[in-house]
Amino acid sequence: MTEPLLEVRNLQIAFRSRRNARPVVPVEEVGFDIAPGERVGLVGESGSGKSLTALAVMGLIHRVGGELGPETSIKLGGDELLAKNERAMRWIRGGRIAMIFQDPLSSLNPVLKIGRQVVEALELHRPDLEAREMKDVAIDLLDQVHLPRPDRLMDSHPHQLSGGMRQRVMIAIALAGNPELLIADEPTTALDVTIQAEVLDLLYELGEARKLAVLLITHDLSIIAGFTHRVLVMYGGRLVEQAATNDLYTEPRHPYTGLLLRSIPPLEQTEDRLIAITGSPPEPLERPDGCGFSPRCPFVRDPLCTTQRPPLVALDAATASTATSRATACLRVHEIDLSELAPEPASTSREARTTVDDDVLVEVVRLSKTFKVNGKGLIGHEMVAAVDEVSLEVKRGEVLGIVGESGSGKSTLARCMLHLIAPSGGKVRVEGEDLSALGPRALRRMRLQMQMIFQDPGSSLDPRMRVGRILTEPLRIHGLWGRPGYDEAALDDLLELVQLPSNSLDRFPHEFSGGQRQRIAIARALVARPALLVCDEPVSALDVSVRSSILNLLADLRDEFGLTMVFIAHDLSLVRFLCDRIGVMHQGRLVEIESAEELFSNPRHQHTRELLASQPVPDPVIEQERRDLRRRLAQSAE
Amino acid sequence: MSGRLLGELYRRPIIVAAMTVVIALVASSILVPLISDLDASAPRLSKRLEAPSWAGGDGGLLGTDSLGRDLLLRIMLGMRTSFAVGAFAALMGAVVGTLVGLISGYFGGVVDAVLMRLTDIELAFPGILLVMVLVRALDRGVIALVIVLGSISWMLYARVVRSAVLTLRTTELVTATTGLGATTPRILFVHVLPNVAAAAVSLMAVTFAAMMLAEASLSFIGFGVQPPDISLGSILSSGRDYLSTSWWISTFSGLFLLLGVLSTNLIGSWLQRVTDPLSIHTGS
Amino acid sequence: MARYLIGRIAQFVIVIGGALLITFLALHLVADPAILGLPVGTPQEAVDAFNEKHGFNDDLLTQFGRFLGDAVRGDFGDSLWLGGDALGHVFDRLPATLMLTVPAVLGGGLLGVTLGSISARRPESGLANGLNVFSYSVISIAEFWLAIMLVLVFAVNITWLPTAGYDPKPQVMILPILVLSLRPFAQNFQLTQATMSAEYGKPYVLAARAKGLSEGQVARRHVLRNVAVPVVTLLLFELGRVFVGTAIIVEIVFAWPGIGRLAANALFQGDVFLVQAVVVVAALATASLNLLADLFYFAIDPRTRHLVGVKER
């Protein structure tokens, strides 16, 4: 076995504050190796400590106010990094270990030219270069990350580039010092799926070509499936599982990994319900005793799991070291069988689902919305069509999915459908009523019939109102509160329906977790019993382990009440799970609308095919095939 | 929210001290003139320019002025003017400015454009000169001063409230509430106003302090409060001619002004920090 | 880019026009120039003659039109109080004011920026805490009182320095400049510290550190350029504010013959023409400084050169 490039042992990160006597310890007992040229995925949700782990490796943890534990050791090529002084560490940062970040716009200095920022990295780490050579080397680097017209890009500023191009610039800067290890912290989270696939393919290609080791940090198990050799899973500040990529996806051993994998809606077939994980990931200060996952684990055994901290142990007893072998931090790992996991049955019987009938609830005719861009004045602006002559119908009881990338106009379409922003042209009929022909009062009345839930529940709920007031607000607005059927008893039923604790009414939104806040928003939308529910990316802002339970709730509502829904998403697997028909938006136009079955098995439009080919799935074999498919698609496009 | 504020206070003894000082100053500026049997305006020529009793003079606690009047009493009455002018001007600015900022931020368009130009004019127009011109035109006096100070301070509120409304508009709150079928006045006053009020309230403490300073400055150069009304600025000005002999007149009147303004400023900047709209939304 | 410049210059014109209008309305509509300018008890015939001579009997619109037309040509009429060209008096006093305000704002402001950036890098240090307390005290202090106290200490008690008077020598100018410099110092200190700490929290700073830059390089090459915009804006704004605002008070206390004292006296005398001239010069100066600040912003921040504003989503 080759000497590891990076060895992390006993990593502990603590934050002390004057406010709390006890330091907060977001990362504990983390240890792993990375071999030269090896690609390793580090997966975890918000608050799991994955990004702090990366900062510790970079020697930057003290810059964010943290400190390392006394037994922590981080070795690069056998050298202890923690023993090095700041000057030596500066040489390593950007020279031997480089890093790229989640948001490529804010990670580039807004006032400096691209060329300057690339050359700066060369000045720091390439003493072998003459000053006059650096410009050419910088152009060459931009070319290596497949940026078009690299010589002209040198004089551009970051805001002139698209998100994907900025991330390529970040990668070029990272490559400037010829590093041995590249740490990529959620490098594609801010990007569209097609761009995400391109950036990951680039990183893959660079890793292969340069024998560059990559530590890819992500919350998304799907994107690394075809990318990494090995995967580390973090939960609550600890490593809970470590495995070769293929092993992890075919046979996860830690309950958290297993649940997480099974909670992702599959792209290949339709399921009635998803496996959901109860609760939400713990805050660093509120971690439970014993196993960090125990409060959410279906296999929990009291008091074993709730009192003892499970160490990360090798599954194969023969290997003493846990640094690279398959390992799991679960005390019951040999007793449990993850294949037993099955979705909880719906609260109501499946038969209750009303079939979609031919009655049209919503009719959208040549709907357009244009915005002014480039200057506010009367002269010199241009109009951009965010939504361009979209026509569609939604039948009663149907769930229509709308997918598209950012800027495709899907959110604007949703808002125009409800007349939350006035369309520039076209018509929307709901229950046969033309919304733009209605007076303000009649339109407000109509809103009882059509409700919307938003991506970020935190910002759509009034932070200064208690949940009880939030839920009754729609009823108060329309003078319904207190009438028969709209009383406290109805509120209690509603809370039960969306599975919120019964004492929720007296609390404020910020006292709830993100998933619970989205349940509040759903309850508010349902309180006046609407016929139509428009959901704009309702789970995108939520942690991965929380998403499936919200999706299950929406599926139950669809089945139980025959609620008609329009479901906006950028993620194809979500619409596949929930929707009867799916429309694809691209640059303001509805390019394809088809039944879910048909769209997935036989996509017609080029953009639909690209989306399908870019949609990551948690399966290493399929992901490898897709990489090849994308390469062929790209070649045929040229 | 209030529990969080109390917790914050516990960690900031200096703010508690500032609040105590403000309360003590307000209370004594009301109580001292009530209790005292001296006349704040009538000259007592036998007691001209007496030093404070603790400095060997016969002028009471803080000494007397050039007409023999008790300085403690006059300073307290001056404090009262400062607080009254500051409070009324800040209140007037807050009410008008909050309304304008609310409307301009929510609706945008023409109202917004006009407001922004007005603010530009105000920025290009050194405040004190404008105030001097207006006060002179309105023929000096406490009421004129309050009106003029209030009518220039509303723009600050309008700007702050406007940007708070714009920040709020980037969230989904307004869209979501519209989607429930709420009328525009209901959205503005039930949902938006309570969420931006904190910004206006914390600004009130800061403008209150600035107005106190402005009143004193104007009175000092003769454009503010006119006799028989008493202002810290005019007391200070009257002490200038006796600086070499009777230092206490200018020193104490200025010291009390500093105490009042500094305390209010500290409270204001603290309020601005703890009522930052961002911290409301994250709820932390 | 051309559109931006045209828009910005149009704004400049609107602002100056607005300032003229407000002054004009205050002096002619709210007050009566004759009552302001003539001694109490002036016989009615004299008042009528005064109004007739200066055209105050015409309707306001005509008067304002005439005022604007003359103002554009630099004619603000003759001063009632001092006699002679009103604008000429303002220009005579200008150097005295500039002599105090420019060194005060630049000196105080730059010191504030320097100490602010040092404090931002060591936010919990004793220096930062001390300077914070100091800057709050400075902002809360009445400048005229501070001026008097300084005179009391340095000129009356220990007689190192003269009490007041016009004499462009360092020992005369040091106290007024010191007083004038305090607020620019405090404002710039607070702003620099706040914006720099905010800037240090941004991802590009972390990315710069991850490149292997030293802390000094991060500050000089990356952070300072981004902080420059608000700081320079404030400096120019302070210069405009001090130029007429604070200078009035300080010039009165130190009997310094600048335009601030001229403005106060002109108002006392009810000299409508002189007041108008001072106000216009002051407004022009501050508006030009604001324009300069915006152009600087335009020059240093590349994002403003490609103004792409998309309304809503």
Side-chain angles (χ1 to χ4, degrees):
Chain A
M1 204 183 113
T2 51
E3 186 73 8
L5 174 65
L6 182 76
E7 289 171 85
V8 176
R9 293 291 176 275
N10 264 319
L11 178 64
Q12 184 191 8
I13 301 173
F15 286 82
R16 289 174 200 283
S17 73
R18 274 183 284 181
R19 210 178 277 199
N20 302 91
R22 207 158 49 97
V24 183
V25 186
V27 177
E28 271 180 291
E29 292 177 25
V30 166
F32 57 91
D33 284 359
I34 297 178
E38 187 185 28
R39 287 185 300 278
V40 176
L42 180 58
V43 181
E45 294 177 271
S46 63
S48 64
K50 57 192 192 304
S51 293
L52 289 173
T53 303
L55 287 183
V57 173
M58 293 296 288
L60 287 172
I61 204 73
H62 59 291
R63 290 282 165 218
V64 292
E67 55 190 82
L68 298 175
E71 289 165 37
T72 302
S73 154
I74 302 172
K75 285 184 184 161
L76 182 71
D79 281 354
E80 180 57 71
L81 294 184
L82 300 184
K84 292 192 184 293
N85 62 19
E86 179 60 23
R87 175 181 285 271
M89 273 313 288
R90 286 209 298 269
W91 185 244
I92 287 170
R93 284 199 285 269
R96 297 184 66 191
I97 312 176
M99 186 163 176
I100 60 174
F101 300 87
Q102 173 168 348
D103 181 1
L105 176 58
S106 52
S107 301
L108 288 164
N109 190 333
V111 301
L112 297 181
K113 287 178 180 169
I114 299 297
R116 179 72 213 119
Q117 304 197 46
V118 182
V119 168
E120 181 176 53
L122 292 171
E123 288 169 355
L124 288 166
H125 297 293
R126 297 288 299 277
D128 53 313
L129 293 177
E130 302 267 340
R132 59 192 157 76
E133 290 173 286
M134 287 192 184
K135 192 180 171 204
D136 292 334
V137 177
I139 292 174
D140 185 49
L141 279 169
L142 294 177
D143 191 46
Q144 281 184 43
V145 295
H146 306 318
L147 279 163
R149 311 284 308 268
D151 47 333
R152 284 188 55 188
L153 261 177
M154 295 286 285
D155 288 324
S156 304
H157 283 100
H159 70 274
Q160 294 168 287
L161 276 57
S162 68
M165 288 167 82
R166 287 176 200 137
Q167 195 59 287
R168 286 168 193 269
V169 171
M170 286 301 294
I171 296 171
I173 292 173
L175 295 179
N178 286 327
E180 296 151 75
L181 171 64
L182 174 68
I183 301 179
D185 188 0
E186 303 260 11
T188 59
T189 307
L191 306 175
D192 279 324
V193 276
T194 50
I195 311 294
Q196 161 169 291
E198 286 172 22
V199 168
L200 287 175
D201 289 351
L202 171 68
L203 286 176
Y204 184 89
E205 174 197 321
L206 291 169
E208 291 286 306
R210 292 178 162 239
K211 292 278 164 269
L212 176 67
V214 179
L215 177 64
L216 193 131
I217 298 169
T218 182
H219 67 277
D220 187 345
L221 270 169
S222 307
I223 68 163
I224 51 170
F227 184 85
T228 55
H229 299 105
R230 228 152 32 87
V231 179
L232 311 165
V233 182
M234 268 185 104
Y235 186 85
R238 290 162 173 268
L239 281 183
V240 295
E241 180 140 27
Q242 165 177 286
T245 306
N246 276 323
D247 295 345
L248 188 93
Y249 287 88
T250 49
E251 198 197 355
R253 295 300 296 270
H254 193 279
Y256 173 65
T257 323
L259 283 163
L260 209 54
L261 275 171
R262 296 282 301 277
S263 71
I264 301 171
L267 207 52
E268 301 305 310
Q269 78 272 354
T270 322
E271 301 221 348
D272 282 344
R273 274 177 81 83
L274 299 169
I275 290 183
I277 313 179
T278 53
S280 49
E283 300 287 329
L285 260 179
E286 292 158 0
R287 285 185 188 150
D289 296 335
C291 171
F293 189 59
S294 58
R296 306 176 72 192
C297 184
F299 300 100
V300 62
R301 173 142 314 162
D302 206 29
L304 177 72
C305 298
T306 50
T307 51
Q308 284 187 51
R309 277 273 157 87
L312 187 72
V313 286
L315 288 181
D316 178 5
T319 31
S321 156
T322 60
T324 52
S325 62
R326 173 120 223 220
T328 302
C330 176
L331 295 170
R332 303 192 63 215
V333 64
H334 296 294
E335 304 163 31
I336 58 177
D337 182 4
L338 289 175
S339 61
E340 284 173 8
L341 287 171
E344 267 183 51
S347 49
T348 55
S349 65
R350 203 107 295 241
E351 284 73 31
R353 171 152 198 205
T354 47
T355 44
V356 178
D357 50 28
D358 287 338
D359 182 11
V360 173
L361 179 68
V362 186
E363 191 185 357
V364 175
V365 188
R366 297 167 69 95
L367 191 72
S368 294
K369 178 69 192 177
T370 48
F371 289 114
K372 261 191 257 178
V373 294
N374 233 335
K376 291 176 285 183
L378 291 171
I379 42 163
H381 63 253
E382 43 190 297
M383 307 298 285
V384 162
V387 175
D388 193 2
E389 305 226 329
V390 169
S391 301
L392 53 86
E393 284 179 356
V394 190
K395 300 201 171 66
R396 198 178 297 276
E398 183 185 42
V399 180
L400 174 72
I402 303 279
V403 283
E405 306 197 298
S406 61
S408 63
K410 57 187 192 303
S411 281
T412 311
L413 174 68
R415 283 164 173 72
C416 284
M417 273 170 78
L418 300 186
H419 272 52
L420 284 170
I421 48 180
S424 318
K427 272 195 175 57
V428 180
R429 287 198 198 89
V430 177
E431 301 263 28
E433 297 266 15
D434 180 354
L435 293 186
S436 37
L438 294 176
R441 183 183 292 263
L443 180 62
R444 282 202 301 275
R445 200 74 202 163
M446 193 71 200
R447 296 204 178 284
L448 282 171
Q449 295 298 311
M450 39 186 216
Q451 284 291 314
M452 181 156 177
I453 55 179
F454 298 87
Q455 176 172 353
D456 178 8
S459 87
S460 69
L461 303 173
D462 196 325
R464 288 176 187 271
M465 285 187 176
R466 290 175 202 274
V467 170
R469 179 69 205 269
I470 288 174
L471 293 185
T472 55
E473 182 68 8
L475 301 175
R476 289 172 203 268
I477 288 170
H478 295 286
L480 292 172
W481 177 236
R483 296 220 192 142
Y486 297 108
D487 48 17
E488 264 94 8
L491 281 194
D492 290 339
D493 290 349
L494 197 59
L495 288 185
E496 201 187 313
L497 178 70
V498 299
Q499 294 147 35
L500 279 171
S502 53
N503 62 357
S504 301
L505 294 180
D506 292 329
R507 292 151 71 191
F508 287 99
H510 70 255
E511 297 172 56
F512 294 84
S513 69
Q516 286 176 316
R517 279 202 286 260
Q518 197 58 289
R519 289 172 192 273
I520 298 171
I522 293 171
R524 177 177 65 177
L526 295 178
V527 71
R529 292 161 204 157
L532 171 70
L533 184 63
V534 176
C535 311
D536 186 9
E537 305 240 18
V539 299
S540 305
L542 305 179
D543 269 312
V544 203
S545 68
V546 178
R547 288 181 186 174
S548 48
S549 63
I550 297 287
L551 290 172
N552 276 346
L553 172 62
L554 290 172
D556 290 351
L557 294 173
R558 170 192 69 187
D559 298 344
E560 192 169 341
F561 300 106
L563 199 60
T564 311
M565 281 194 253
V566 175
F567 186 90
I568 315 279
H570 65 268
D571 187 327
L572 281 165
S573 61
L574 301 183
V575 288
R576 169 76 180 187
F577 166 68
L578 210 58
C579 303
D580 302 307
R581 274 195 309 146
I582 295 167
V584 179
M585 294 273 296
H586 184 49
Q587 296 176 349
R589 292 179 165 272
L590 187 67
V591 295
E592 186 164 6
I593 183 162
E594 199 52 78
S595 76
E597 287 296 321
E598 180 67 15
L599 188 95
F600 277 82
S601 56
N602 189 15
R604 294 219 190 90
H605 194 273
Q606 168 77 12
H607 186 65
T608 315
R609 276 185 229 135
E610 278 170 18
L611 284 180
L612 277 170
S614 309
Q615 173 72 35
V617 290
D619 186 322
V621 181
I622 298 176
E623 276 293 290
Q624 282 291 357
E625 287 169 8
R626 284 162 167 273
R627 190 191 313 286
D628 298 336
L629 176 65
R630 283 197 295 269
R631 197 172 298 146
R632 283 202 304 275
L633 268 175
Q635 277 160 2
S636 71
E638 272 168 19
Chain B
M1 178 76 202
S2 56
R4 195 165 65 91
L5 274 181
L6 283 179
E8 260 286 323
L9 269 180
Y10 179 74
R11 282 190 299 274
R12 305 238 171 233
I14 191 157
I15 302 299
V16 178
M19 287 176 167
T20 316
V21 168
V22 170
I23 293 169
L25 285 178
V26 172
S28 49
S29 75
I30 294 169
L31 289 177
V32 167
L34 283 180
I35 296 167
S36 173
D37 49 3
L38 298 171
D39 187 326
S41 308
R44 292 183 299 169
L45 295 178
S46 59
K47 288 211 164 196
R48 291 185 68 231
L49 299 174
E50 283 286 348
S53 48
W54 44 267
D58 188 19
L61 199 55
L62 298 182
T64 63
D65 69 1
S66 59
L67 293 175
R69 298 173 296 196
D70 184 57
L71 202 57
L72 175 66
L73 180 59
R74 285 184 65 82
I75 286 179
M76 283 308 147
L77 286 167
M79 277 312 296
R80 202 160 74 177
T81 313
S82 291
F83 281 126
V85 171
F88 281 111
L91 194 67
M92 182 177 150
V95 171
V96 177
T98 303
L99 267 178
V100 175
L102 203 59
I103 290 166
S104 139
Y106 187 82
F107 293 104
V110 180
V111 188
D112 196 33
V114 170
L115 174 80
M116 286 296 98
R117 286 297 86 75
L118 265 178
T119 332
D120 288 339
I121 294 173
E122 190 220 5
L123 278 179
F125 208 108
I128 193 163
L129 192 58
L130 177 66
V131 172
M132 281 164 65
V133 171
L134 289 174
V135 166
R136 186 73 175 81
L138 286 170
D139 205 18
R140 296 170 280 193
V142 180
I143 308 282
L145 203 58
V146 169
I147 293 174
V148 170
L149 290 177
S151 62
I152 59 161
S153 69
W154 69 268
M155 290 186 210
L156 187 59
Y157 289 92
R159 278 208 326 261
V160 169
V161 170
R162 173 182 176 271
S163 81
V165 172
L166 287 179
T167 310
L168 199 67
R169 289 221 75 166
T170 63
T171 71
E172 305 283 14
L173 181 63
V174 172
T175 321
T177 316
T178 314
L180 299 177
T183 58
T184 306
R186 188 181 181 100
I187 297 173
L188 268 180
F189 294 104
V190 178
H191 294 273
V192 177
L193 184 60
N195 282 300
V196 298
V201 168
S202 55
L203 193 60
M204 257 180 86
V206 178
T207 39
F208 181 67
M211 292 297 132
M212 282 170 69
L213 263 187
E215 181 272 319
S217 307
L218 287 165
S219 301
F220 174 76
I221 56 175
F223 280 86
V225 173
Q226 304 295 318
D229 290 329
I230 301 167
S231 158
L232 291 177
S234 48
I235 300 175
L236 225 156
S237 173
S238 72
R240 269 178 76 202
D241 299 334
Y242 308 96
L243 217 46
S244 50
T245 52
S246 310
W247 53 270
W248 51 89
I249 305 176
S250 292
T251 309
F252 288 127
S253 47
L255 217 51
F256 272 94
L257 180 64
L258 174 66
L259 215 53
V261 176
L262 182 59
S263 308
T264 344
N265 259 338
L266 284 172
I267 297 170
S269 73
W270 172 76
L271 275 177
Q272 266 172 341
R273 246 193 339 268
V274 294
T275 59
D276 184 346
L278 285 178
S279 68
I280 298 167
H281 283 293
T282 53
S284 54
Chain C
M1 168 161 174
R3 197 169 64 234
Y4 175 80
L5 287 180
I6 293 169
R8 190 58 191 78
I9 288 165
Q11 188 187 332
F12 178 79
V13 174
I14 293 173
V15 164
I16 298 296
L20 288 173
L21 182 66
I22 291 174
T23 318
F24 182 83
L25 289 181
L27 293 175
H28 295 263
L29 188 66
V30 183
D32 180 345
I35 293 176
L36 287 179
L38 297 177
V40 181
T42 309
Q44 189 57 41
E45 303 84 68
V47 173
D48 292 340
F50 174 82
N51 281 340
E52 189 59 37
K53 182 183 167 206
H54 296 103
F56 291 149
N57 289 330
D58 302 341
D59 68 293
L60 271 182
L61 207 61
T62 319
Q63 286 192 56
F64 185 59
R66 193 167 55 225
F67 166 58
L68 273 186
D70 290 346
V72 169
R73 280 182 279 111
D75 178 7
F76 289 88
D78 286 349
S79 164
L80 299 173
W81 165 47
L82 298 168
D85 180 29
L87 194 61
H89 287 295
V90 178
F91 282 133
D92 285 348
R93 305 292 190 92
L94 208 51
T97 297
L98 291 177
M99 220 182 286
L100 295 187
T101 49
V102 173
V105 173
L106 291 186
L110 292 179
L111 189 66
V113 172
T114 313
L115 292 177
S117 58
I118 292 172
S119 303
R121 285 167 64 181
R122 295 175 190 79
E124 297 295 319
S125 66
L127 176 78
N129 284 329
L131 284 170
N132 252 317
V133 172
F134 178 69
S135 69
Y136 268 110
S137 316
V138 162
I139 285 172
S140 305
I141 216 162
E143 274 128 343
F144 58 94
W145 180 64
L146 182 69
I148 291 173
M149 288 299 111
L150 287 174
V151 168
L152 182 63
V153 173
F154 289 103
V156 177
N157 281 6
I158 49 181
T159 61
W160 282 355
L161 301 168
T163 51
Y166 177 70
D167 191 3
K169 281 196 224 135
Q171 64 267 40
V172 183
M173 288 165 60
I174 185 161
L175 284 186
I177 289 182
L178 182 69
V179 173
L180 283 176
S181 67
L182 283 176
R183 206 170 269 259
F185 166 79
Q187 303 269 22
N188 276 287
F189 171 78
Q190 291 186 346
L191 181 83
T192 309
Q193 194 189 26
T195 48
M196 265 192 109
S197 336
E199 213 63 31
Y200 268 111
K202 290 193 177 163
Y204 78 85
V205 174
L206 191 59
R209 285 172 175 155
K211 259 184 183 177
L213 289 164
S214 71
E215 282 309 297
Q217 288 168 325
V218 169
R220 279 194 308 279
R221 293 191 196 173
H222 290 270
V223 178
L224 271 180
R225 274 203 66 163
N226 282 289
V227 174
V229 170
V231 165
V232 172
T233 307
L234 180 70
L235 262 180
L236 292 170
F237 175 70
E238 280 292 312
L239 190 60
R241 208 186 56 80
V242 168
F243 177 65
V244 187
T246 322
I248 295 181
I249 309 275
V250 171
E251 284 174 9
I252 289 174
V253 173
F254 290 99
W256 189 265
I259 66 166
R261 207 161 67 119
L262 182 73
N265 283 332
L267 273 167
F268 266 120
Q269 303 291 338
D271 188 339
V272 180
F273 300 111
L274 194 52
V275 170
Q276 285 172 345
V278 177
V279 168
V280 170
V281 169
L284 260 177
T286 30
S288 311
L289 288 168
N290 287 347
L291 179 67
L292 205 63
D294 278 7
L295 293 181
F296 172 78
Y297 178 42
F298 187 71
I300 200 165
D301 194 328
R303 282 164 293 189
T304 57
R305 270 176 249 155
H306 312 270
L307 285 172
V308 180
V310 181
K311 277 172 75 184
E312 295 183 62
R313 60 185 59 222

